[in-house]
Amino acid sequence: MLLAVEGLKMYYGVSNETVKAVDGVSFSLGEAESLGIVGESGCGKSSLAMALLKILPSNARIVDGRILLEGVDIVSLPEERLRRGIRWKKISMVFQGSMSALNPVIKVGEQIAEAIIIHENGVTKKEALERAANLLEIVGLDRSTLKRYPFELSGGQRQRAVIAMALALNPKVLIADEPTTALDVIVQAQILKLLRELKERLRLSIVFISHDVSVISEVSDRVAIMYAGKFVESGNAEAVFLKPSHPYTQALISAVPSIKEPRKTFKYIVGQPPSLINPPPGCRFHPRCPYVMDVCRSEEPPIIEVEKGHFAACHLLGG
Ligand SMILES: Nc1ncnc2c1ncn2[C@@H]1O[C@H](COP(=O)(O)OP(=O)(O)O)[C@@H](O)[C@H]1O
Ligand SMILES: [Mg+2]
């Protein structure tokens, strides 16, 4: 397995309290495979993404679990080794909102070349610019984009440039955190198409993160549904979307009238996502669940394999 995450926990300290943003997440990802992670805002998706690259805010720490990349545990690896051989080189990321993080007054080519020169020894400026031009072509931009400033580009072009930058050191795994959220629907579809193409062409493995089920369904071989710091359901995209087993997944999907025709109407799931400082005991979804039983209030549901490779954590499923 290219990437295997086991029981990952990442918490933030806020004054005397602990925000359990990622609280025991496990998944694996093969070569040229895409995993879509979907869940409401605040459920811990970006925290998980940052934990996977160990790019943590100063008040965050990984408190448990392993992140095995080609069998090597990143969690216990010294920062120096991560920087030298792994971060950006094997596993890379398009940060949420990074489209607007490009420096507006530095040419696109310079910014990509800079990323290459900083992280790879002995690359000349000329070589780095040549590689930047190739990367721009790979993401569907003209080579002339090299000499343009980010403010001259459209939103979609800027997002392509950011993706090119994330691919600059030939990573095997790309984490894309809400890469289409700021874009209109048509441009969004083009970026999703690009990501599908990159997966095939570069045999890239992609962890695609979004709060939008319809977007996730467009790009994912497999999906994981995240709720309050945990995965409540995961499996083949088709299996999960056609036969959602967890009441939260069912609610998320019913909020999209048709997976193919996104965002016509939106039915809200009743209630608010829970606090990650004091999450509800038992099943974290129980205060909002239409099928809540006594056991749900006290016991955490076990993860059940509802059919081969399709897992859900819900007391309704027995086990
Ligand atoms: N730097 C931080 N310090 C403390 N809490 C944070 C920090 N960043 C995010 N959080 C909290 O962690 C939880 C998960 O946030 P996040 O990972 O951004 O969720 P998502 O990406 O799913 O919207 C939220 O409750 C959020 O308020
Ligand atoms: Mg986020």
Side-chain angles (χ1 to χ4, degrees):
M1 198 49 73
L2 181 57
L3 177 68
V5 174
E6 298 172 355
L8 187 65
K9 297 187 180 185
M10 189 269 245
Y11 295 173
Y12 298 100
V14 180
S15 45
N16 306 334
E17 305 199 282
T18 304
V19 181
K20 296 174 179 168
V22 179
D23 208 13
V25 163
S26 303
F27 67 88
S28 59
L29 187 69
E31 189 184 316
E33 187 177 41
S34 58
L35 171 73
I37 300 176
V38 63
E40 285 164 290
S41 177
C43 72
K45 303 180 298 297
S46 295
S47 302
L48 172 60
M50 291 187 288
L52 293 176
L53 265 83
K54 275 181 60 183
I55 299 180
L56 303 177
S58 59
N59 64 332
R61 67 208 150 90
I62 294 177
V63 296
D64 202 5
R66 303 201 297 169
I67 302 167
L68 300 163
L69 187 65
E70 296 178 316
V72 176
D73 183 15
I74 296 180
V75 173
S76 55
L77 212 61
E79 173 62 24
E80 168 55 27
R81 277 194 57 198
L82 250 182
R83 205 178 320 147
R84 193 153 20 96
I86 293 182
R87 190 185 292 133
W88 310 125
K89 298 184 176 171
K90 290 201 166 161
I91 182 165
S92 181
M93 169 139 97
V94 171
F95 286 94
Q96 181 167 0
S98 53
M99 239 174 84
S100 42
L102 283 171
N103 190 326
V105 295
I106 299 178
K107 288 176 187 156
V108 171
E110 301 280 329
Q111 293 193 55
I112 300 175
E114 177 80 3
I116 296 172
I117 290 166
I118 288 177
H119 294 101
E120 255 178 52
N121 294 331
V123 182
T124 65
K125 179 80 181 278
K126 190 160 170 281
E127 288 164 350
L129 281 170
E130 182 52 32
R131 270 170 62 181
N134 288 334
L135 284 160
L136 290 172
E137 282 183 339
I138 286 172
V139 300
L141 293 172
D142 195 87
R143 291 175 82 89
S144 63
T145 313
L146 221 49
K147 297 217 162 66
R148 298 178 70 191
Y149 292 96
F151 72 79
E152 299 178 283
L153 306 182
S154 69
Q157 289 171 328
R158 274 209 304 272
Q159 189 58 286
R160 286 175 193 265
V162 168
I163 293 170
M165 203 178 286
L167 297 177
L169 303 170
N170 301 312
K172 297 188 170 183
V173 181
L174 177 71
I175 298 164
D177 189 3
E178 307 269 8
T180 62
T181 299
L183 304 170
D184 70 54
V185 179
I186 291 171
V187 179
Q188 182 169 300
Q190 291 164 353
I191 297 290
L192 297 177
K193 179 160 170 278
L194 169 67
L195 288 168
R196 283 195 301 265
E197 286 167 2
L198 291 174
K199 181 168 83 94
E200 299 307 325
R201 206 166 137 199
L202 308 176
R203 296 201 55 74
L204 189 66
S205 305
I206 302 180
V207 178
F208 189 100
I209 295 175
S210 178
H211 66 284
D212 186 335
V213 182
S214 57
V215 162
I216 286 287
S217 70
E218 288 284 321
V219 284
S220 311
D221 301 323
R222 288 191 299 129
V223 294
I225 314 295
M226 192 165 185
Y227 188 80
K230 293 178 185 287
F231 284 0
V232 294
E233 182 158 359
S234 65
N236 230 308
E238 215 172 74
V240 173
F241 288 133
L242 294 179
K243 283 189 273 174
S245 295
H246 195 286
Y248 178 62
T249 314
Q250 292 164 2
L252 262 189
I253 290 173
S254 72
V256 182
S258 153
I259 301 269
K260 290 280 163 210
E261 296 170 60
R263 298 205 282 217
K264 274 194 181 152
T265 59
F266 189 80
K267 237 185 342 190
Y268 288 97
I269 299 166
V270 181
Q272 291 294 315
S275 149
L276 295 178
I277 295 175
N278 286 308
C283 171
R284 292 182 176 184
F285 187 58
H286 87 253
R288 302 168 80 187
C289 184
Y291 312 110
V292 61
M293 305 178 289
D294 271 345
V295 64
C296 308
R297 299 189 177 93
S298 55
E299 278 177 45
E300 187 170 336
I303 294 172
I304 306 225
E305 188 164 21
V306 288
E307 59 189 338
K308 196 167 174 1
H310 180 182
F311 300 88
C314 175
H315 286 298
L316 286 170
L317 303 168

